Amino acid sequence: MSAVSTGRPRLRAVLVAFGVALLGFALAIPAGLVVGSVYTVATGNQIGPVASLGVSMVSLQGIAFPAAAWVYVRRRGLSWDYVPASVPDLDDFKYVVGAYVAAFAALYAISVVLALTSTEAATNTGATTALEHPEIIPYLIPLQLLLIGPGEELLFRGIIQGRLRERFDAWPAIVVASLAFAPAHILALSGGPTAVLVSISVLFVPSVLFGYTYEKTGNIAVPALTHGLYNATLFTLMYVAVTYAPEATGEATSLLAF
């Protein structure tokens, strides 16, 4: 096959992958308006910082990302078998544990490097809201497993990585899907351009691990569970810090920026 005929399908796959990611965020706008309106009518309250965090999670990961995945599947005339899912077995759990441990080992190593080089990461606005209202953290922990992990992995691994895998070998597909995943968090980050770039670069590491588990198991439940556990652990650490060591809350905020 010539370079041209090989390159064009690959370029198209990359463009489609990033287009689907953008669709997910675009659909979050009307979803947010609907969810926000329902909240306002149901509670009679205006949307404050805490409610805004919940509305954002439900709208983006709970509605918009699955909707973008549905649009893609329908548009191509596929079935949901395109994204294989099943209850993880023992072999699957080995990858969950392995990726979970590797993600935190990498996070620790990166944290050391950032500390030694006096490099600052951006602040996660969701983490800041949680620190200002720590009573909501126990509710955010299960949401990582039930909403955030499944919603993000369905779109970025099941659909985007799956689409790339049709034209690329495993590692290029994982890397490109992760390149779409990490910058997607930019809206949740606050800080200077360098700090935001640092955080996006760090987010790339667990993203690659999530993609690797999907490649090895062919089961979207595995990266969804790994991702959910990873995020839930970060929020748990933050809750422990804010409850028992308030002086360490600044470190917790930086940790959750990753």
Side-chain angles (χ1 to χ4, degrees):
M1 183 177 292
S2 68
V4 173
S5 61
T6 300
R8 286 180 178 175
R10 287 184 172 182
L11 176 59
R12 178 180 174 80
V14 171
L15 293 176
V16 169
F18 279 87
V20 172
L22 290 175
L23 175 63
F25 284 96
L27 291 175
I29 297 174
L33 293 174
V34 172
V35 174
S37 297
V38 170
Y39 171 83
T40 301
V41 171
T43 66
N45 299 322
Q46 295 298 314
I47 300 177
V50 173
S52 178
L53 181 59
V55 168
S56 175
M57 289 182 175
V58 172
S59 302
L60 186 61
Q61 288 92 345
I63 298 176
F65 283 177
W70 179 83
V71 169
Y72 177 83
V73 169
R74 291 280 295 181
R75 182 69 178 80
R76 290 192 64 188
L78 303 170
S79 71
W80 281 113
D81 291 338
Y82 184 76
V83 185
S86 62
V87 177
D89 59 21
L90 183 59
D91 287 336
D92 291 335
F93 274 108
K94 292 178 182 177
Y95 285 99
V96 172
V97 173
Y100 175 87
V101 172
F104 278 99
L107 181 61
Y108 176 77
I110 293 170
S111 298
V112 170
V113 172
L114 294 180
L116 291 175
T117 58
S118 299
T119 302
E120 293 187 1
T123 299
N124 186 299
T125 54
T128 301
T129 299
L131 285 174
E132 294 172 349
H133 305 274
E135 69 277 5
I136 70 172
I137 298 177
Y139 300 98
L140 294 176
I141 293 171
L143 279 179
Q144 307 310 305
L145 292 161
L146 300 174
L147 195 67
I148 308 303
E152 293 191 353
E153 293 308 306
L154 171 63
L155 185 64
F156 286 94
R157 244 57 65 178
I159 298 298
I160 292 176
Q161 185 172 313
R163 177 67 177 92
L164 292 166
R165 195 66 177 87
E166 295 175 13
R167 297 297 181 184
F168 293 91
D169 289 334
W171 278 110
I174 292 171
V175 168
V176 175
S178 297
L179 288 173
F181 174 84
H185 292 71
I186 193 170
L187 295 177
L189 301 174
S190 62
T194 300
V196 170
L197 181 60
V198 169
S199 289
I200 290 175
S201 299
V202 176
L203 282 166
F204 180 79
V205 176
S207 179
V208 167
L209 291 170
F210 302 152
Y212 177 75
T213 64
Y214 185 52
E215 172 66 28
K216 297 299 291 185
T217 63
N219 183 0
I220 196 62
V222 175
L225 178 58
T226 307
H227 188 164
L229 286 172
Y230 176 79
N231 283 9
T233 301
L234 292 178
F235 273 105
T236 300
L237 291 173
M238 186 176 70
Y239 187 68
V240 171
V242 75
T243 303
Y244 300 104
E247 69 279 0
T249 55
E251 296 179 7
T253 303
S254 297
L255 185 65
L256 279 168
F258 299 156

